[in-house]
Amino acid sequence: MPADRPIATRSGIDAARIAELREAEAAVFRKARPKSEARIGNGIEGFFGGVPMHWMNDWPTPFPILVESAKSARITDIDGNALDDFCLGDTGSMFGHSPPPVARAIRRQAARGLTYMLPSEDALGLGRLLEAHFGLPFWQIATTATDANRFALRVARAVTGRDTILVFNGCYHGAADETMVRLRDGKPINRPGLAGEFRDLTVRTKIVEFNDIPALEAALADKDVACVITEPVLTNSCMVLPEQGFHATLRDLTRKAGTLLLIDETHTISSGPGGYTKAFGLEPDLFVLGKPVAGGVPASVWGMSGAVADRYAAYNRTKEPGYSGMGTTLSANPLQFATMKATLEEVMTEENYAHMTRLAMRLDAGLTAVIDRFGLPWHVARVGARVEFICAPGPLKNGDEAESAHAPELEAAIHVALVNRGALIAPFHNMMLVSPATKARQVDRLISAFADVAAKISV
């Protein structure tokens, strides 16, 4: 490359070339979507910011894709452009769009009523299904993983009598307030960008780096932490895998400190029918799963061990009567029961996961081969059916490294370029999911598209 061209940090790609690619691909995107641009290019009337949810404007495309339909692992916009969908609602539809058993359950339940604050027959046996999948014996149903995490943390504080939790830098647990913290230059701060937050969240939340055993041990030493809440793998930034022995040591240290361990599998459910927890023999006291547990219908679950359930029952016998602060009116509705039962019984199967993992390994190998072919200082990370390409050397060790590995302008340019070549990936962290409905030819098309983009930015 010419010496007068600046090199983008760590990515190895010329910043001017990135800008050229993004401009050119934006023009291609617009040309292919005249109907969409006419209807949504200036925003949707009546919505603040022009979209129903603000993060729809965070996609790097010139305007959001206006979807006409989605089926299996394909999504089609109103201009007739069909995309191989590897975003899959950022895990919400990780088993494909409208899996047939879930669609049947929705139709059946729609004729019987959607919510009535009482159990239906589909609730019978659902708790045992959850235990069979995830190992813990006692469960509650919520609507989002954010809610489930909030409720589980309340239980942890109630039964331990402690008010502090511990998270890992770079973590993702939805919008649970206590987890919205970061380390900056080694000091805990409120997560940058929080809107309207006037509290210092670090007063009751400790934060250490993922994989940092000495820091974890020091943070637990005072025995004032009610709960460590963690993903098995850091996933909402650039993916960080646990180092050998990390989870075993985490479990040992929390037990010695009298601290509960909450495993949030909302993204790592890509690991298998029982999540990363079952695949790798983790032993959480509390467990949370949101997004895909009902096949795309909003639902989440949180479970507790027998010991925690006993302690919580004892706490409830002594606490002052009144609202616990846990629960929303639409949680544990019959539509959730029906779709969750269908998902656990007929969709989250060993056979489906074997297919998903096999194709994810194919995608991992294909992307890695492209990176090697063009000599890019990038790497690929995978957890089960979840794959990410990361525009920096790896593997990454902790949340700080993960944050630093992001190359926002480059990633945005690649994203739009892949859309123009028929592939949709997650907009925020280069994530790709393989579903039971995904075909080998779709994986191969994505690899080919990635190679074409790599060729453009590497010359």
Side-chain angles (χ1 to χ4, degrees):
M1 293 180 185
D4 60 345
R5 280 186 161 184
I7 301 298
T9 303
R10 301 186 71 189
S11 72
I13 305 301
D14 182 302
R17 192 176 300 281
I18 294 170
E20 291 168 4
L21 177 68
R22 187 163 189 185
E23 182 178 356
E25 296 296 339
V28 173
F29 179 92
R30 290 180 183 278
K31 186 176 181 180
R33 293 167 176 82
K35 293 180 182 178
S36 296
E37 184 163 22
R39 298 183 66 177
I40 199 174
N42 294 317
I44 304 174
E45 186 177 357
F47 287 111
F48 177 77
V51 287
M53 185 65 179
H54 63 86
W55 40 247
M56 291 178 179
N57 280 329
D58 292 340
W59 289 70
T61 49
F63 46 85
I65 293 170
L66 194 56
V67 176
E68 191 276 327
S69 65
K71 184 178 180 181
S72 299
R74 295 274 280 174
I75 195 167
T76 304
D77 67 24
I78 66 168
D79 288 277
N81 299 292
L83 301 172
D84 293 326
D85 189 2
F86 291 90
C87 174
L88 294 169
D90 196 15
T91 312
S93 293
M94 70 168 283
F95 301 116
H97 296 289
S98 298
V102 175
R104 289 193 295 269
I106 292 171
R107 288 194 295 269
R108 184 181 71 249
Q109 188 57 47
R112 301 175 177 179
L114 297 179
T115 188
Y116 27 75
M117 292 186 69
L118 290 166
S120 66
E121 284 191 315
D122 284 321
L124 305 178
L126 186 54
R128 298 285 74 83
L129 274 174
L130 290 166
E131 181 180 12
H133 271 264
F134 308 119
L136 298 180
F138 296 102
W139 294 88
Q140 291 280 273
I141 295 175
T143 300
T144 68
T146 292
D147 286 340
N149 280 319
R150 285 173 175 154
F151 304 158
L153 289 175
R154 278 185 175 271
V155 169
R157 285 170 161 150
V159 303
T160 63
R162 302 174 180 179
D163 61 4
T164 299
I165 68 162
L166 185 147
V167 302
F168 293 104
N169 191 35
C171 69
Y172 178 68
H173 303 291
D177 290 344
E178 301 98 319
T179 69
M180 291 291 183
V181 296
R182 287 290 184 269
L183 285 176
R184 176 176 287 174
D185 299 325
K187 296 181 179 179
I189 60 168
N190 281 10
R191 182 173 176 169
L194 287 182
E197 182 54 74
F198 56 88
R199 298 165 296 172
D200 180 358
L201 300 174
T202 68
V203 172
R204 294 291 180 268
T205 300
K206 295 183 179 182
I207 179 169
V208 301
E209 290 287 6
F210 197 70
N211 285 320
D212 190 340
I213 295 298
L216 174 64
E217 188 169 16
L220 295 175
D222 290 337
K223 298 186 176 182
D224 60 347
V225 174
C227 185
V228 172
I229 175 174
T230 186
E231 308 165 84
V233 174
L234 289 188
T235 62
N236 204 51
S237 187
C238 297
M239 194 188 297
V240 180
L241 300 175
E243 294 179 346
Q244 184 70 33
F246 173 72
H247 278 297
T249 304
L250 169 62
R251 180 67 281 194
D252 182 57
L253 290 175
T254 49
R255 283 181 172 142
K256 287 179 179 177
T259 295
L260 300 183
L261 176 61
L262 191 165
I263 297 294
D264 181 353
E265 290 266 14
T266 297
H267 284 162
T268 52
I269 191 61
S270 60
S271 304
Y276 196 99
T277 293
K278 190 169 185 177
F280 291 91
L282 306 189
E283 299 177 356
D285 301 297
L286 297 156
F287 179 104
V288 163
L289 173 60
K291 290 188 180 180
V293 70
V297 170
S300 65
V301 296
W302 56 282
M304 62 188 95
S305 68
V308 171
D310 288 344
R311 293 171 69 180
Y312 187 46
Y315 171 86
N316 280 331
R317 288 193 292 269
T318 60
K319 85 173 184 71
E320 183 179 359
Y323 178 46
S324 66
M326 298 187 292
T328 56
T329 303
L330 295 180
S331 292
N333 66 62
L335 185 61
Q336 291 174 330
F337 301 146
T339 52
M340 201 177 301
K341 183 173 183 288
T343 301
L344 292 171
E345 287 185 335
E346 302 180 67
V347 180
M348 293 178 65
T349 64
E350 293 284 357
E351 181 182 12
N352 276 344
Y353 269 98
H355 169 85
M356 294 157 66
T357 302
R358 183 171 61 252
L359 288 188
M361 293 173 67
R362 182 183 185 126
L363 178 57
D364 182 348
L367 297 178
T368 299
V370 171
I371 288 168
D372 291 344
R373 186 195 321 164
F374 290 98
L376 297 167
W378 303 357
H379 72 287
V380 178
R382 181 180 68 85
V383 55
R386 182 188 180 101
V387 181
E388 294 179 17
F389 65 85
I390 298 166
C391 301
L396 304 174
K397 182 179 180 180
N398 56 41
D400 183 61
E401 289 189 6
E403 293 280 352
S404 299
H406 272 301
E409 289 300 314
L410 174 59
E411 293 165 8
I414 294 172
H415 180 99
V416 180
L418 290 176
V419 167
N420 290 338
R421 288 156 180 79
L424 184 70
I425 68 172
F428 311 124
H429 34 70
N430 305 329
M431 185 275 292
M432 296 152 284
L433 281 167
V434 175
S435 77
T438 304
K439 307 299 184 185
R441 63 179 177 271
Q442 293 179 291
V443 169
D444 292 343
R445 284 198 295 259
L446 174 54
I447 294 169
S448 178
F450 185 75
D452 187 50
V453 178
K456 286 184 175 297
I457 59 179
S458 299
V459 295

